[in-house]
Amino acid sequence: MPKLTVDGMDVEVPAGATVLQACEAAGVEVPRFCYHERLSIAGNCRMCLVEVKPGPPKPQASCALPAADGQAIFTTTPMVKKAREGVMEFLLINHPLDCPICDQGGECDLQDQSLAYGKGFTRYQENKRAVTEKFMGPLVKTIMTRCIHCTRCVRFAEEVAGVEEIGAVGRGENMQITSYLEKAVTSEVSGNIIDLCPVGALTSKPYAFQARPWELKKTDSIDVMDALGSNIVIGSRGPAVLRITPRINDDVNEEWLSDKGRFANDGLAARRLDRPYVRVGGKLKAASWAEAFAAIKAGLAGLPGEAIAGIVGDLAAVEDMVAFRDLLATLGSQRIESRQDGALFNTAARGDYLFNAGLAGIESADVVLLIGADPRREAPLLNVRLRKKAARRQSQVFGIGPAVDLTYPVTWLGDDAALLGALPAAVAEALAKAERPAVIVGMGALRTPGLYEAARALADKYAVVRDGWNGWNLLHTAAARVGALDLGLAVEGGVAALADAKALFLLGADEVDAGAGAFTIYIGTHGDRGVRHADVILPAAAYAEKPGTYVNLEGRVQRALRAVFPPGEAREDWTIFRALSAVLGTPLAYDDLPALRARIAAEWPHLGGGAMPPATLSAAGAVTPVSGPLALAIDNYYLTNPIARASATMAECVEQILAPLREAAE
């Protein structure tokens, strides 16, 4: 490991580290625009200049210079100061004075570094150049006259997103960053180039002119648009959620965020349920909470517990599901199902339904077999991790199911489930020789009866679970799913087994066609699919409007905080169940959130902050031959839940991104 000095401080860095990384290890700030630790080194902004001895008597770019034994690095000498001022002067030659009207204001690297490292004047009097605006779709606003050609967006699109649709044209002063053919960028993680841009060239189009960063209240939360559990920061002002940005967590989402998680926030305020409704004479009419509870009590009168059932939706928090479970238990029912998409799999042991390799761990898999899974749409940031090795041909990826573009090489074997019993010889050989083989099964495939057992048999045959490695993975699409399964909210036969229910509670369940013929109570946030057959509607709080616990697909327990309050008469879900239980005659044993969480921790310690239970697998079930085409869980990435379907931004994505892609495919 090289040992060197930075401004007189001794520092030791790993082999292969750069001088810039050595400066960071020593706690010395080095300005930069083009360098980013998760992207390749470009070395084209020249802002990170330092003086190095021994070496040539000139400043050197620290981002591209390897650290070596015996180097002496100087970051504050007159030579370095003059060089940085010169670089900043060059960068500002053509940069417009847009700060008062630029959405990057207050979070702009160019602003901050020009103040810290630049001069207070310029020697250039020539006319500034102007660049025509580019079109990158409904999510990214471009004002490319501000661009300083750091190429972060280009490198992100090519290296991380895997969608090579952004690049540079022209040379010298005529160089411009643009989307090829000036079409909408089709990546599901394109919004991350907004965070990467160090100036105001790329900003959020839906957020344009909404607020300044210092006006926003920032609240740590968890993204519920998929099952990944991405860490986010919700920016709100008053009752409105104005933007959502990623929060760094190297074990989960690194520093990225999917486009749906970032931009669907406008759906939180649209088409909201803000007061109770009761169906009278076939029509829904507004009612008070007391009237709604009375209607529920009348509808449940005389029904035995086995005639009452519940379905949990995709966005519910653990606290809500526990209160829901406790309420139905007071009615004598244990019939609650959380797999509203119809997926069938074993839930006897925790390892049966987890993504056991882990989000960070899957990067070390050398052979991956996808079974009816489309990680690009079902979990975009998982797809980013799979791409890291696959794009460099350091891992092999095979797929059974409909062929889709995952942005990296995949050998598609066909979409017949019968392939599970007779893999091609090359695939079987690769799995047999792999040190860390992984099987990823999608929720769409698990709608096929018997597929789970067939996939488990294949995994056992090739020993994907071995000492120090568990390569058995289910790719969930719902943020609430793993938490619900930890609570035991699954019944034999899945959601179809609840068809005989005389009374049905829907806890935010909008992706299932249920309720016709039964007395139906819908507890949710939006006037979406779940209210079609509802006899009583109770308005609830969305994920940004309540504190809650979520368990991601790898079993990680995370907490979200309340950013804003629910609209109108809407209430947090668990408080609705507590109030309803009192009306029905058996009040639940908790009156506040700490008491509810204490009840959760007593029965499920890991959900209350205790030790995580082992992710063991139960014995594999009997295998029956399966055949036929496999389906994918998601048909339209942008419209997968009530919040996304209420979002005008997501509707624009469908129109400007998805519709042209489908037309081109046809």
Side-chain angles (χ1 to χ4, degrees):
M1 296 175 66
K3 296 180 180 179
L4 58 158
T5 64
V6 177
D7 291 340
M9 293 179 287
D10 293 333
V11 62
E12 186 174 1
V13 295
T18 64
V19 168
L20 190 150
Q21 291 169 326
C23 293
E24 288 183 335
V28 175
E29 180 183 6
V30 175
R32 81 292 299 267
F33 291 113
C34 68
Y35 174 81
H36 192 278
E37 55 270 18
R38 300 189 195 276
L39 303 175
S40 62
I41 294 173
N44 54 13
C45 80
R46 318 309 288 180
M47 194 63 204
C48 64
L49 296 174
V50 296
E51 187 176 350
V52 182
K53 294 182 180 179
K58 63 177 183 179
Q60 298 189 63
S62 60
C63 70
L65 182 66
D69 257 329
Q71 282 178 330
I73 313 299
F74 302 93
T75 66
T76 58
T77 62
M79 177 195 294
V80 172
K81 183 176 184 294
K82 183 178 179 181
R84 290 175 178 173
E85 288 177 348
V87 169
M88 184 61 69
E89 204 170 353
F90 273 113
L91 289 174
L92 295 175
I93 289 175
N94 287 307
H95 195 79
L97 300 178
D98 278 349
C99 300
I101 60 165
C102 176
D103 273 327
Q104 197 81 347
E107 297 174 318
C108 178
D109 292 347
L110 188 63
Q111 262 187 347
D112 297 340
Q113 294 186 37
S114 62
L115 179 65
Y117 302 101
K119 289 185 175 183
F121 61 90
T122 178
R123 291 170 288 175
Y124 290 88
Q125 303 299 326
E126 291 79 11
N127 292 330
K128 292 176 180 285
R129 72 164 191 167
V131 179
T132 57
E133 301 311 333
K134 313 302 179 189
F135 176 72
M136 291 191 181
L139 304 178
V140 181
K141 177 183 178 182
T142 63
I143 301 182
M144 302 312 290
T145 301
R146 303 170 183 164
C147 179
I148 62 170
H149 304 157
C150 71
T151 68
R152 280 186 180 182
C153 56
V154 177
R155 284 175 284 149
F156 176 85
E158 293 180 357
E159 299 164 12
V160 179
V163 177
E164 299 183 2
E165 296 174 348
I166 303 176
V169 296
R171 299 184 66 186
E173 188 182 45
N174 296 319
M175 177 179 171
Q176 298 183 27
I177 303 295
T178 180
S179 57
Y180 297 125
L181 305 180
E182 297 201 18
K183 291 186 177 180
V185 178
T186 60
S187 171
E188 292 76 18
V189 293
S190 64
N192 292 290
I193 63 177
I194 296 168
D195 298 333
L196 288 172
C197 185
V199 296
L202 305 175
T203 55
S204 171
K205 187 175 285 188
Y207 175 69
F209 307 125
Q210 295 294 309
R212 288 297 197 184
W214 55 83
E215 297 178 275
L216 300 179
K217 182 184 76 171
K218 298 174 177 63
T219 307
D220 291 349
S221 188
I222 302 298
D223 176 39
V224 299
M225 294 295 120
D226 56 33
L228 200 86
S230 298
N231 290 209
I232 59 174
V233 176
I234 298 176
S236 60
R237 185 178 59 192
V241 173
L242 296 183
R243 73 169 180 177
I244 294 175
T245 52
R247 183 160 46 99
I248 297 177
N249 187 328
D250 287 337
D251 294 328
V252 182
N253 57 302
E254 299 178 292
E255 62 183 82
W256 316 126
L257 184 59
S258 67
D259 286 350
K260 189 164 49 178
R262 183 187 294 266
F263 294 109
N265 60 284
D266 59 331
L268 287 167
R271 305 211 306 251
R272 284 301 298 270
L273 299 173
D274 58 0
R275 63 183 305 175
Y277 289 86
V278 175
R279 193 175 297 276
V280 179
K283 295 184 177 180
L284 288 170
K285 294 186 177 181
S288 67
W289 279 100
E291 291 169 340
F293 286 167
I296 295 173
K297 185 175 182 179
L300 298 177
L303 291 179
E306 60 268 17
I308 302 172
I311 300 177
V312 174
D314 292 347
L315 311 182
V318 168
E319 291 83 354
D320 306 329
M321 293 186 287
V322 170
F324 184 43
R325 181 181 187 270
D326 291 347
L327 173 68
L328 263 63
T330 66
L331 300 173
S333 175
Q334 299 292 333
R335 303 178 67 195
I336 305 178
E337 178 56 70
S338 59
R339 298 168 293 181
Q340 61 169 340
D341 53 11
L344 297 173
F345 48 85
N346 196 357
T347 61
R350 199 164 190 255
D352 292 339
Y353 53 80
L354 289 184
F355 195 91
N356 291 290
L359 294 170
I362 197 65
E363 294 183 19
S364 63
D366 48 2
V367 176
V368 178
L369 176 63
L370 303 173
I371 302 174
D374 178 7
R376 180 175 174 183
R377 282 88 186 175
E378 296 169 22
L381 298 183
L382 169 64
N383 198 60
V384 166
R385 290 186 181 271
L386 289 170
R387 173 181 161 75
K388 288 183 181 180
K389 287 180 67 173
R392 299 193 298 267
R393 304 282 182 175
Q394 294 175 351
S395 67
Q396 292 178 279
V397 182
F398 302 97
I400 299 174
V404 291
D405 178 14
L406 297 182
T407 73
Y408 46 83
V410 180
T411 302
W412 292 102
L413 310 177
D415 66 348
D416 190 350
L419 285 164
L420 293 175
L423 288 177
V427 182
E429 182 180 1
L431 285 170
K433 292 183 178 179
E435 293 184 7
R436 291 196 164 193
V439 172
I440 300 177
V441 188
M443 291 297 109
L446 291 172
R447 297 172 190 165
T448 302
L451 187 130
Y452 179 84
E453 290 74 18
R456 272 292 304 275
L458 182 146
D460 291 344
K461 179 179 180 180
Y462 294 103
V464 302
V465 180
R466 56 185 69 171
D467 288 341
W469 174 251
N470 189 334
W472 173 251
N473 307 286
L474 294 197
L475 178 53
H476 294 284
T477 57
R481 185 70 51 83
V482 172
L485 296 173
D486 280 355
L487 298 173
L489 304 186
V491 298
E492 187 71 27
V495 73
L498 306 181
D500 62 342
K502 301 299 182 184
L504 187 64
F505 286 82
L506 301 179
L507 175 54
D510 291 274
E511 317 307 320
V512 59
D513 189 11
F519 178 73
T520 305
I521 304 100
Y522 177 80
I523 308 98
T525 59
H526 288 72
D528 202 71
R529 300 170 182 172
V531 304
R532 285 173 295 186
H533 306 297
D535 295 288
V536 180
I537 298 173
L538 305 178
Y543 74 100
E545 300 160 358
K546 60 188 176 185
T549 304
Y550 297 91
V551 187
N552 77 346
L553 52 76
E554 61 180 348
R556 185 185 301 270
V557 179
Q558 303 182 107
R559 287 266 171 92
L561 304 177
R562 178 196 289 116
V564 295
F565 287 90
E569 297 180 40
R571 297 292 182 265
E572 293 179 33
D573 307 58
W574 77 265
T575 64
I576 295 173
F577 299 131
R578 171 61 182 84
L580 178 58
S581 69
V583 173
L584 296 179
T586 310
L588 300 181
Y590 33 82
D591 296 321
D592 53 32
L593 187 61
L596 171 56
R597 286 181 169 169
R599 179 263 184 277
I600 294 171
E603 187 166 349
W604 302 279
H606 70 288
L607 298 178
M612 201 64 62
T616 55
L617 275 68
S618 62
V623 179
T624 57
V626 291
S627 62
L630 298 179
L632 296 176
I634 293 179
D635 175 59
N636 186 328
Y637 166 73
Y638 298 102
L639 304 179
T640 57
N641 59 62
I643 297 174
R645 286 191 286 271
S647 166
T649 304
M650 293 297 99
E652 288 185 26
C653 289
V654 172
E655 180 182 349
Q656 298 182 27
I657 300 175
L658 194 59
L661 287 175
R662 288 180 171 175
E663 289 175 7
E666 293 173 358

